[in-house]
Amino acid sequence: MGGCSEGHIVMLPFMAQGHLIPFLALARRIHQATAFTITIANTSLNIAYLSSSIAKDPTLSSAQSHHRIRLVPLPFNSLVHGLPPNTENSEALPFHKIINLCRASAALEAPSMELVADITAKEGRPPICIISDVFHGWANRVAERFQTVNVTFTTGGAYGTATYVSVWQNLPHRSAEADEFQIPGFPDSTRLRRSQLHQFVREADGNDLWSQFFQPQIGLSLRSFGWLVSTAEEIEPLGMEVLRKYTKLPVWPVGPLLPPAMLNHSSSSRPKNLGRHSGRESGISLQECLEWLDLRPESSVLYISFGSQNTINPTQMMELAKGLEDSGRPFIWVIRPPFGFNPEGEFRSEWLPEGFEERRQGLLVRGWAPQLDILCHKSTGAFLSHCGWNSAMESLSQGVPIIGWPLAAEQTFNSKMMVEEMGVCIELTRGMQGTVTREEVKRITELVMDNKEGKGEEMKRKATKIGELIKAALTEDGGHQKGSSLQAMDDFISALLSAQTQRQKQLPSSN
Ligand code: UDP
């Protein structure tokens, strides 16, 4: 497919790390597979993050210097949307303000129209497609206006996305009497419990702010030409089947969109250029982190992180810390102020047991850690995660099993899939209301990290298998047989080119 045709793709990611990172990874894949120019548009802060990530990646920085990957800032004023000054990313927001950012993101429609108008005028034809976030369904209007196509990219997995979309569109729990209920689009045997719904969904009735944001945006996204998913066909057969049936659209599983260096390092070699995929500064130097890991036995370290924008409540934090001490296992824990405190503020030692950090059983990393390097290190044995899709894929690609603590978005659905379909996860608790006890932390940590026998061994084996499937989907076997995700990318590009040819045929001959 390399260098197949000239064309321009405009990308419109949502304003959150968990969306920007896979969008950039998707841009990298398209850049490698085609000769297209790619413009990623977002607010200036997010463009700065993307620019910093690109600068650290030799393949992307050369593409940028050759203008094949362009970053365009769109005007955005957080104050007019009831957000704190200069808030352009979900990371800086307390939970209850995230909805303001979601609603504010629709304000990017007008500058996106201008951007596409500008490209169309300069190049004499519209971009070959717009790739928009599933939360930016409005991009379909931009595509329709310029007679091109919009493709929705869900940065989640197939199962999690299908559940999320179906739950928001149908609010099935509202008509169910029992605690367990069916999810429209899924087989009867796949059921959800109310506790697997985020409080916002549980309370949604179609007239609340969340429904008013999600229902129209998802509805618009279902008008797209097709959907791209950051997953591989082989690891999510059920999710892919349901997503295709539910959207009634072509769905191309082109992922998971991991940095290539994560895929081809051996257990003894250390992958390079992983640390800055987000463009954010880490709370620890990479060298210090790796040296600490080097001193730990193989598969002995528990890595703990709740992603780019979530945290836990103060009681949960205290119990987690005590349980870790009881387990005696080494850990790396990315700490942020607990719920109720400024997420960007200083971390206070009173939130942890007295002397916890000084006892040096584990490494406490403030704010942001070099997650990919940690997960690729042979000393890492398990990941206590909020089950964000990127984190899940990063972990499983390295054969690292997961202790689930889903907190928001589609994370409970990812966790459910990883427990029931993949068998690589066990849930410690759910949400910020979930009970966590030091005893349970110790029990589950030991169960998962004791990977020589029983449940821990089974989870490790299954995680290793998923890692192999991910790698196979993303590799070319001696140039002959393409992995399924590479093939899906080719199919996507072919579909775009055919649609473009079709459009050109329909133009009046004078054009
Ligand atoms: N991440 C990181 N360091 C951290 C926390 C997160 O590098 O300390 C990265 C992580 O590798 C992943 C992304 O941020 O690529 C988080 O995305 P995910 O989908 O897991 O969760 P979200 O932040 O969207 O909830």
Side-chain angles (χ1 to χ4, degrees):
M1 261 289 150
C4 59
S5 168
E6 282 180 23
H8 202 142
I9 289 184
V10 173
M11 288 189 162
L12 302 170
F14 182 69
M15 303 132 97
Q17 293 297 350
H19 295 239
L20 295 165
I21 295 169
F23 260 85
L24 186 57
L26 179 63
R28 182 195 288 110
R29 286 281 170 76
I30 296 176
H31 161 68
Q32 280 161 354
T34 70
F36 296 159
T37 301
I38 300 161
T39 294
I40 312 178
N42 214 285
T43 66
S44 4
L45 171 79
N46 294 317
I47 289 297
Y49 280 154
L50 290 170
S51 178
S52 159
S53 312
I54 287 178
K56 297 279 160 192
D57 181 331
T59 51
L60 287 178
S61 52
S62 73
Q64 200 181 24
S65 58
H66 291 101
H67 305 293
R68 287 214 23 232
I69 295 191
R70 302 185 337 169
L71 299 177
V72 175
L74 299 176
F76 179 79
N77 180 353
S78 62
L79 290 174
V80 301
H81 303 288
L83 292 164
N86 305 319
T87 305
E88 300 177 21
N89 188 300
S90 59
E91 70 192 351
L93 285 174
F95 236 50
H96 66 280
K97 287 270 182 191
I98 300 273
I99 184 61
N100 294 46
L101 186 78
C102 292
R103 287 159 62 87
S105 65
L108 297 179
E109 179 170 350
S112 301
M113 277 289 181
E114 278 177 38
L115 171 71
V116 176
D118 193 43
I119 292 173
T120 308
K122 277 199 187 113
E123 297 180 1
R125 60 174 179 177
I128 189 166
C129 87
I130 296 173
I131 301 182
S132 65
D133 204 285
V134 67
F135 294 173
H136 289 175
W138 49 259
N140 274 279
R141 288 195 287 257
V142 182
E144 283 157 20
R145 166 97 167 264
F146 293 94
Q147 293 175 353
T148 183
V149 293
N150 185 73
V151 173
T152 294
F153 173 40
T154 162
T155 52
Y159 184 109
T161 300
T163 315
Y164 198 70
V165 161
S166 173
V167 164
W168 272 114
Q169 281 212 306
N170 302 294
L171 301 176
H173 55 294
R174 294 207 62 91
S175 48
E177 279 170 17
D179 177 46
E180 260 193 2
F181 52 91
Q182 207 235 323
I183 322 159
F186 275 82
D188 226 18
S189 52
T190 309
R191 294 183 161 250
L192 273 181
R193 287 178 179 276
R194 274 165 217 276
S195 65
Q196 287 169 307
L197 299 179
H198 191 276
Q199 185 198 342
F200 298 143
V201 192
R202 255 193 327 256
E203 290 167 5
D205 60 4
N207 297 314
D208 56 292
L209 292 178
W210 290 92
S211 307
Q212 282 174 3
F213 169 72
F214 281 120
Q215 291 185 341
Q217 294 309 330
I218 291 171
L220 283 165
S221 288
L222 290 171
R223 275 189 359 210
S224 297
F225 176 70
W227 283 36
L228 290 163
V229 200
S230 183
T231 195
E233 190 87 46
E234 296 80 1
I235 65 168
E236 285 200 275
L238 174 62
M240 282 304 301
E241 188 190 328
V242 174
L243 194 60
R244 285 195 173 110
K245 269 201 205 136
Y246 192 89
T247 59
K248 302 190 185 71
L249 292 169
V251 182
W252 298 282
V254 293
L257 291 155
L258 302 165
M262 276 196 106
L263 301 172
N264 38 37
H265 72 101
S266 67
S267 56
S268 53
S269 72
R270 188 165 277 168
K272 295 208 170 60
N273 294 321
L274 290 176
R276 293 288 310 267
H277 71 315
S278 66
R280 276 188 54 158
E281 284 303 329
S282 173
I284 187 170
S285 83
L286 180 58
Q287 193 186 348
E288 187 187 345
C289 188
L290 293 176
E291 279 171 8
W292 186 91
L293 278 164
D294 284 345
L295 295 174
R296 304 289 164 317
E298 193 164 332
S299 297
S300 68
V301 175
L302 176 66
Y303 171 56
I304 307 165
S305 164
F306 300 105
S308 62
Q309 61 198 37
N310 288 291
T311 186
I312 52 180
N313 80 39
T315 318
Q316 291 174 327
M317 191 172 275
M318 194 56 90
E319 286 299 303
L320 173 56
K322 288 178 182 165
L324 289 173
E325 291 212 295
D326 293 348
S327 81
R329 304 263 172 182
F331 59 84
I332 297 181
W333 182 359
V334 190
I335 46 166
R336 302 220 174 93
F339 183 69
F341 297 88
N342 174 8
E344 303 286 287
E346 276 292 300
F347 191 91
R348 297 191 212 145
S349 58
E350 71 202 43
W351 289 322
L352 294 171
E354 214 180 320
F356 183 77
E357 190 162 15
E358 292 68 34
R359 286 193 283 281
R360 292 174 174 272
Q361 177 191 329
L363 208 52
L364 292 178
V365 180
R366 280 158 176 78
W368 196 257
Q371 174 159 314
L372 305 184
D373 297 272
I374 294 170
L375 289 171
C376 288
H377 198 288
K378 61 181 180 352
S379 300
T380 303
F383 183 6
L384 169 48
S385 167
H386 73 311
C387 302
W389 187 247
N390 298 298
S391 294
M393 290 297 96
E394 288 158 11
S395 191
L396 294 178
S397 71
Q398 306 307 306
V400 174
I402 293 173
I403 299 177
W405 184 340
L407 288 162
E410 89 298 6
Q411 293 150 17
T412 46
F413 314 144
N414 296 340
S415 171
K416 178 177 165 66
M417 187 281 287
M418 291 192 290
V419 171
E420 293 174 7
E421 304 293 319
M422 290 180 169
V424 296
C425 174
I426 187 163
E427 256 186 35
L428 173 62
T429 187
R430 270 178 212 149
M432 244 173 326
Q433 274 79 40
T435 311
V436 185
T437 60
R438 63 194 294 175
E439 292 78 17
E440 196 58 1
V441 171
K442 177 173 187 275
R443 187 184 74 79
I444 293 207
T445 303
E446 284 175 357
L447 187 80
V448 178
M449 302 230 29
D450 181 7
N451 52 26
K452 301 281 173 299
E453 54 179 31
K455 182 78 183 162
E457 185 276 334
E458 186 191 316
M459 286 172 70
K460 176 76 195 159
R461 189 166 28 83
K462 290 184 170 168
T464 305
K465 179 74 196 160
I466 297 287
E468 285 163 8
L469 290 174
I470 289 175
K471 285 177 184 139
L474 292 167
T475 25
E476 203 155 341
D477 162 20
H480 301 297
Q481 185 72 38
K482 277 193 173 178
S484 64
S485 297
L486 299 182
Q487 187 57 51
M489 177 58 87
D490 284 357
D491 296 344
F492 162 62
I493 304 292
S494 301
L496 282 186
L497 292 171
S498 315
Q500 189 185 44
T501 311
Q502 215 44 42
R503 284 197 300 277
Q504 279 163 349
K505 276 194 199 144
Q506 283 161 5
L507 287 176
S509 52
S510 59
N511 284 352

